[in-house]
Amino acid sequence: MQFDFPNPFDFPKIKFPSLIKSSKTAGLPPGQLVHLGEKLTDKSLVELISYNDKEFREASSGKSNEITEGLSAETVNWINIDGLHNVDLIREVGEHFAVNSLILEDILNSDQRPKVEEYEEHLFFTLKTLNALNTESIIYEQMSFVLGKNYILSFQEKEGDLFEGMRNRLKNDPNSKARKKHADYLFYRFIDTIVDSYFLILENIAERIELLEDEVFVNPTKRTLQKIQQLKKELIFLRKSVYPVREAVSKISKGEYHFIKKETIQYFNDVYDHTIQVIETMETYRDLTTSLMDMYMTSVSNKMNEVMKVLTIIATIFIPLTFIAGIYGMNFEYMPELQWKYGYAAVWGLMLTTLMIMVIYFKRKKWF
Amino acid sequence: MQFDFPNPFDFPKIKFPSLIKSSKTAGLPPGQLVHLGEKLTDKSLVELISYNDKEFREASSGKSNEITEGLSAETVNWINIDGLHNVDLIREVGEHFAVNSLILEDILNSDQRPKVEEYEEHLFFTLKTLNALNTESIIYEQMSFVLGKNYILSFQEKEGDLFEGMRNRLKNDPNSKARKKHADYLFYRFIDTIVDSYFLILENIAERIELLEDEVFVNPTKRTLQKIQQLKKELIFLRKSVYPVREAVSKISKGEYHFIKKETIQYFNDVYDHTIQVIETMETYRDLTTSLMDMYMTSVSNKMNEVMKVLTIIATIFIPLTFIAGIYGMNFEYMPELQWKYGYAAVWGLMLTTLMIMVIYFKRKKWF
Amino acid sequence: MQFDFPNPFDFPKIKFPSLIKSSKTAGLPPGQLVHLGEKLTDKSLVELISYNDKEFREASSGKSNEITEGLSAETVNWINIDGLHNVDLIREVGEHFAVNSLILEDILNSDQRPKVEEYEEHLFFTLKTLNALNTESIIYEQMSFVLGKNYILSFQEKEGDLFEGMRNRLKNDPNSKARKKHADYLFYRFIDTIVDSYFLILENIAERIELLEDEVFVNPTKRTLQKIQQLKKELIFLRKSVYPVREAVSKISKGEYHFIKKETIQYFNDVYDHTIQVIETMETYRDLTTSLMDMYMTSVSNKMNEVMKVLTIIATIFIPLTFIAGIYGMNFEYMPELQWKYGYAAVWGLMLTTLMIMVIYFKRKKWF
Amino acid sequence: MQFDFPNPFDFPKIKFPSLIKSSKTAGLPPGQLVHLGEKLTDKSLVELISYNDKEFREASSGKSNEITEGLSAETVNWINIDGLHNVDLIREVGEHFAVNSLILEDILNSDQRPKVEEYEEHLFFTLKTLNALNTESIIYEQMSFVLGKNYILSFQEKEGDLFEGMRNRLKNDPNSKARKKHADYLFYRFIDTIVDSYFLILENIAERIELLEDEVFVNPTKRTLQKIQQLKKELIFLRKSVYPVREAVSKISKGEYHFIKKETIQYFNDVYDHTIQVIETMETYRDLTTSLMDMYMTSVSNKMNEVMKVLTIIATIFIPLTFIAGIYGMNFEYMPELQWKYGYAAVWGLMLTTLMIMVIYFKRKKWF
Amino acid sequence: MQFDFPNPFDFPKIKFPSLIKSSKTAGLPPGQLVHLGEKLTDKSLVELISYNDKEFREASSGKSNEITEGLSAETVNWINIDGLHNVDLIREVGEHFAVNSLILEDILNSDQRPKVEEYEEHLFFTLKTLNALNTESIIYEQMSFVLGKNYILSFQEKEGDLFEGMRNRLKNDPNSKARKKHADYLFYRFIDTIVDSYFLILENIAERIELLEDEVFVNPTKRTLQKIQQLKKELIFLRKSVYPVREAVSKISKGEYHFIKKETIQYFNDVYDHTIQVIETMETYRDLTTSLMDMYMTSVSNKMNEVMKVLTIIATIFIPLTFIAGIYGMNFEYMPELQWKYGYAAVWGLMLTTLMIMVIYFKRKKWF
């Protein structure tokens, strides 16, 4: 007989990332640049894409000064930095563009809550990119943008991002909308692309909910329970990443920041609609996950009920029959039935009658 | 013995429509017209109804220019387009009336959240029409309206709508209110008709709740549980479709939009009352569905209790009796009772006494 | 053996009144007077009470013009109409007093959500009167008031109302406060009387909760579960009727309407206090009803526990004893105990010892 | 066998006081003074304490005019009335101080919701004093204050209050703060003392929660369930009494009322802090009580689990053994084992082996 | 047989600290300094740290006047008082700096709700420091700050605090930011350090949640239930300590207080972000704890299900076999099977066939 105790060690744990970092800086004075988060890559790279409706230039280097020097004021300059562990690189870039030290701190803190903030020289936006490679867990990556007059700085934890399509279009299509617009439009395209990618995560979660629903109805095991709990946790963490984004986008779409031109704000209204839709869908999934738990509970009760019925049917049929057999197994000297010629047959008759009554009773109760 | 495992494949799945589309456009720049949603029909058609208090004209064609050319400025012009998959047709109509490209995108997106938006030349309203053909599922269809100076454009996923009655009244009754009013009144009649149709959906749901209530009390099966869960899901999705409509209608009834004349706004107050009533009723049904789940749970417990009682009564009566029979089945040489003349009768007496005591005990406990 | 399956057909259903009507008008243009609701009476009657501090006049007729003609401008005129099914009568009265057609529509709609609305010539208030004749269900009746300059129109579904006491006092006591005041004071007395009557409903519900509480603790049956569910539903519907009244009274007590004189507004503050108290008490009862459900659940579990204990005690005592008897029922040729003189007695000793140990074990576990 | 059915009649019922009264006045016109509530005492008394920094005078009488005449304008005059059933007395006092009849009505209504109201001549405050004499129930008493220019009227249901300490300090300590201050300071001291007394109630509830927690873990009975339900109800009623007090104190501390001098308002800020703390603690206890219910449920399930384990262990061990004994109790003529010399011993060996296997199996499953 | 009843006396109780104090002062007039809370230390100490960018001075004494006299107006003076039980010391310090008596009262009240308050001469901030020495309980300590023009008074219950690192940096690094800034910056550093330390508590709780999750899945015992309840309680109390801090910090970061210079406010924005993050994480953990309870419940049901399966399998297999053996144990004279040569073997065959059918049946049902 084998039961389905899963190995406790293969329970897919969720790291509580926000806690690891915070205790690291506890007690440090502000303004000290420390990378808070796991080091996800060894390499660090500075990339430049610089364009306007006429020209397009690409460059990349491990050293910031090779990139940041000689930027044209005529073009939109997108400087992308991969690898938050290289604190010096980030400080250099920061100093070159006169980025406030509070911004730099937040960029380096992988557990920073998403937010938008306006400083004199820059608009700062930080949020999470989500990645659901397989159906078991979501990868959270910190991404920050610093929007200046004619440039955008983007900071990522490691190489590889959602913007490959954008890069190609900028490069190959001189007539694309972005080529004719300013840095704030590029900024909008970044935020829009990231928010759109959240829908992929939701799709992934929707699939898992449907699979779990079938599992709960057909064959609920302990493993199912773990999966539901896991899903619940992921939705809780997802929520923490997405809610503040709505807030931030809402501020932008209200036109609070002069870095975003009036004509770009209407696009942010669109992004805002999408964040609302992401959040509403997420809340829907939370409700569905909660009711999955209830249904699991009920499914287990149903199964127990079935088990009990089988036991009861068997016991209720055979216990009285065994009692009858027991009677005629007694050794009394004077038991007239034992001497009757058809005694044995009569007992069988009695037993079969009892059986019939029981079966009819259970049929009536619709137990089988 | 046969148990009621339903076939897992006949579980009525709910498609999560909002997810299919969103990943399609993820990464696309804005302003590119793509139809997002299932193609529900092959045909696409442009229909015109043009009227004022004196004249009435009807026309329809597969080509937009045959319809959109030569519209009179003296009449109210209602141009209805069936079939969102025909992107070119929609672009042509859009261009003819100078509809903003953001509006066109939203029209083509079957999963657009209901909303109202004012642009310089148009008022845009998009929402869902609901259809409960049978008691098992609700069909969601996207419907969009573009209100211009003296025309309304309406966009539907496929032919066939709720407005047949309106069309007939406009055509046959030159004295009807609508014939004397402007395009904004026609617009109000559209929204009103759609919101009124929501009550039919609620009626359908009310019936299903009542049926499920009886089922839960009388004979709760696994299938019942699935139906409750299905209902729960539908209410969640219904909510997502109806809540934003209230918001949108509220904005109109506050007189925020100059496209709606002051005299029409009082009618929108009425529509607003109806949306409130729809939402309150919906919330009521959500509460009832939640308590259906609790009652199912309790009903299952009650049934188990009953099963256990039957088992306990049988076991408690026969186990002691079988024990007594067992005693006198022993083969000891010296067992005085076995030789007694009335030993056998005495044992029967003992057994019947035991039985009586048990029955009285259970009667006292009110177990049967 | 008899179990308490209640007849499914005596389950007290709650009609969902708000749904029946709505689908009736769906698609109709506004301004068409149709009675939406059940016809509760065949008769329809117009009653007049007209008074000031000096005179008092009463009249009633089946025809509206007999009543509405020749009203004095010196007196407060209360015209009461019984029977909403008589649409013509209501149209006549409406036209005489120039009542807006939107008001008339709402008066005729028995499922109208309670609300207050100000029009140029009138203040309109519609709400529900509640009646708990027996402890099984609440009767909802629609009641509407139209307050004009020196008259009030009241519309009821059928004859018989809460205002008999008011009528008598007006008639018999020329010094009563109301006789010296204006129509708005009479209006206040109507609303106050109706809101006060809600307390009677709450009292009725409180009694039912207490009865159910005892039932749940002492003898929870399936019927109890149905009663709890019934109560839950009634509180949900009650809530839908009472919440909007608070809103409406709040608007009046804030002095938003010039039809209510400043000196009368302080009385509406009092009514507002009462609606708050009604709602708070109602919420309290909702909480109590929810916890009744939990307690029912727990009570059922408790009972099952008890049943299981009885089974376990009996089985645990007799199964080992039966085993011992089984041993000495074996037919081996060489079983020395069988030949011992005191073998039989020894077996009894063994059994009694086993019994004692079991009893002590259960005592220790406090199972009985 | 004895089970713990509690006597249904000793279930400590909670009176729903707010309902008894309300139906009494339903239909009465406003301004009629009727005592609504239980008559808690036969006596009624008017007491005067009159003081300033120089003098102190005490007096009491059953007649109001003996007290209210000849009050000095130089002193703070506190007139306390015990016994709300004496409506005439209260009317006399009311008339003497020109108290608005709406105030007098509220004073006489023992179920008045706590509130503060400003009238031209007075500030009116009504709230509940709570008393937890034993651990089984809380006694609610209505207490009202009318603050005039240099006097305070206080109205209590019966003799005996929380202010004995205050009285003594006023009398014996001419340098006490209160002696130097105005009537509004005395008013503050009343409210402060009553709010502070709420903490005693919370302490009482905290103790009961802890006792119940132990009971639920160690020996959950039906009685425990009743106690939890009782506690839940009391918290619901407590909440109804305390929430509105916060509202009222908040209004005062915002300086809305000119009867409270600016220097006294800072003290009301302090009282406000306390009401917040009372409410937060109360909400905490509500949470704890809810989780008590869950834990009770779980505790019962745990116990059932244990019972089932005992049954299963006994049955699983002895049923197979009894089967073996049954085999060799058969009367077949040709059963070779029966003739074997060591057949009997071998069967014992077989049984012991079976027993061992079972025990090892259960040990592995950690069932004991 | 041994079950896991934990000793009721080792249930880790949570003191309800807020109640102990409150009843102590109930009835006392305001302005009387009494220490409310446990005396955590015997010693009491006044420490001075006085610095500017040029100089640094440290001193400590048991007497306040030795410290408070001769403070320089050129330096930032931090006076730290350990030991709230020494009321005289605190009164002396308070009088020296003209601290309002309401502030002093709040400082002495160990159960004061966290808050910020501005007085003419001071800004007052009181909150809790949390300490999780082991995984079983959190130690709450009251900490208050009084910010004056060029000094900060800090009040702690006992020696030892979170500021050792700050002290060292101030002393050893003349170029540290704090040395160049004013008292309000030091004030910010205090609040920041305390809020950062909350993350450590959250980390501790996260660990306990993960451990409990494993326990619930693998081996849920009664002890597990107690731990979950304990955790729930701690989160409730933690919440009461942290929520008001957010409120207070929010007020500061909005620039409401002129004691905080404009340049320091941006740092408080940062602190505010952290409090938001603490609270969001805390709410996440509350959700997880609630679902732990549900999972415990489900886990117990799962275990019961398993137990029932074992019982049912054993009973269902052996009860019919025992019945067959019982048949041939009967003593009828005429039982042909008994005389058959292969009767015994045939019975064995019958039994084995029955066994096979049962096993196949259970396999199909996937019961093992």
Side-chain angles (χ1 to χ4, degrees), chain A residues 213 217 285 308 331 337, chain B residues 19 222 233 308 328 344:
Chain A
E213 227 161 38
F217 275 124
Y285 293 170
M308 292 307 304
N331 298 319
E337 298 98 320
Chain B
L19 298 171
K222 250 191 156 171
K233 271 177 155 181
M308 292 307 305
Y328 295 103
Y344 181 51

Side-chain angles (χ1 to χ4, degrees), chain D residues 209-304:
Chain D
I209 290 176
E210 299 224 323
L211 285 173
L212 278 172
E213 226 161 40
D214 289 357
E215 212 173 308
V216 163
F217 275 124
V218 179
N219 186 27
T221 66
K222 251 189 155 171
R223 183 80 194 141
T224 316
L225 185 59
Q226 283 183 321
K227 283 186 199 159
I228 295 171
Q229 176 70 353
Q230 173 69 3
L231 192 62
K232 225 175 187 171
K233 271 177 155 182
E234 279 184 31
L235 280 166
I236 286 172
F237 282 90
L238 189 57
R239 197 184 162 163
K240 274 181 73 178
S241 297
V242 175
Y243 252 91
V245 173
R246 185 193 57 167
E247 240 172 73
V249 172
S250 157
K251 278 184 196 165
I252 296 176
S253 71
K254 277 179 196 147
E256 287 188 17
Y257 305 117
H258 70 267
F259 281 95
I260 309 296
K261 292 190 174 56
K262 223 184 153 186
E263 64 197 59
T264 313
I265 282 173
Q266 65 168 322
Y267 295 112
F268 274 101
N269 278 323
D270 209 54
V271 179
Y272 182 66
D273 273 13
H274 288 175
T275 58
I276 293 279
Q277 213 169 346
V278 168
I279 282 166
E280 283 183 352
T281 308
M282 218 168 61
E283 292 303 316
T284 302
Y285 294 171
R286 268 170 70 99
D287 281 9
L288 288 174
T289 309
T290 303
S291 79
L292 265 182
M293 195 76 179
D294 289 352
M295 274 167 39
Y296 180 89
M297 221 25 193
T298 315
S299 233
V300 167
S301 284
N302 264 333
K303 272 180 98 174
M304 184 126 79

Side-chain angles (χ1 to χ4, degrees), chain A residues 16 18-19, chain E residues 197-209 235 238 277-283 285:
Chain A
F16 293 86
S18 59
L19 298 171
Chain E
S197 78
Y198 292 172
F199 284 103
L200 287 165
I201 302 295
L202 291 177
E203 222 174 316
N204 174 298
I205 287 172
E207 269 168 37
R208 284 162 71 189
I209 290 176
L235 280 166
L238 189 57
Q277 213 169 346
V278 168
I279 283 165
E280 283 182 353
T281 308
M282 217 168 62
E283 292 304 316
Y285 294 170

Side-chain angles (χ1 to χ4, degrees), chain A residues 54-104:
Chain A
K54 279 167 217 130
E55 49 180 318
F56 180 91
R57 194 163 65 88
E58 247 180 326
S60 76
S61 164
K63 291 179 182 165
S64 71
N65 56 345
E66 294 179 5
I67 294 294
T68 53
E69 274 160 24
L71 289 179
S72 161
E74 302 291 297
T75 55
V76 174
N77 301 294
W78 167 23
I79 295 110
N80 180 46
I81 293 96
D82 289 333
L84 295 186
H85 61 283
N86 194 338
V87 176
D88 292 331
L89 186 71
I90 285 161
R91 186 185 295 112
E92 280 165 35
V93 175
E95 278 169 7
H96 180 89
F97 292 99
V99 177
N100 190 311
S101 68
L102 285 173
I103 293 184
L104 292 181

Side-chain angles (χ1 to χ4, degrees), chain A residues 216-233:
Chain A
V216 163
F217 275 124
V218 179
N219 186 28
T221 65
K222 251 189 155 173
R223 182 80 193 144
T224 317
L225 186 59
Q226 284 183 321
K227 283 186 199 160
I228 296 171
Q229 176 70 353
Q230 172 70 4
L231 192 61
K232 226 176 188 171
K233 271 176 155 182

Side-chain angles (χ1 to χ4, degrees), chain A residues 317-318 321 349-362:
Chain A
I317 287 174
F318 284 102
L321 298 187
L350 175 62
M351 286 182 185
L352 290 174
T353 312
T354 310
L355 178 65
M356 295 282 284
I357 291 167
M358 288 294 176
V359 168
I360 287 164
Y361 174 75
F362 288 126

Side-chain angles (χ1 to χ4, degrees), chain C residues 38-56:
Chain C
E38 277 176 283
K39 188 175 173 181
L40 297 174
T41 175
D42 277 336
K43 282 186 11 185
S44 60
L45 197 69
V46 183
E47 293 168 305
L48 170 72
I49 284 181
S50 150
Y51 66 85
N52 60 16
D53 52 351
K54 281 168 215 129
E55 49 180 319
F56 180 91

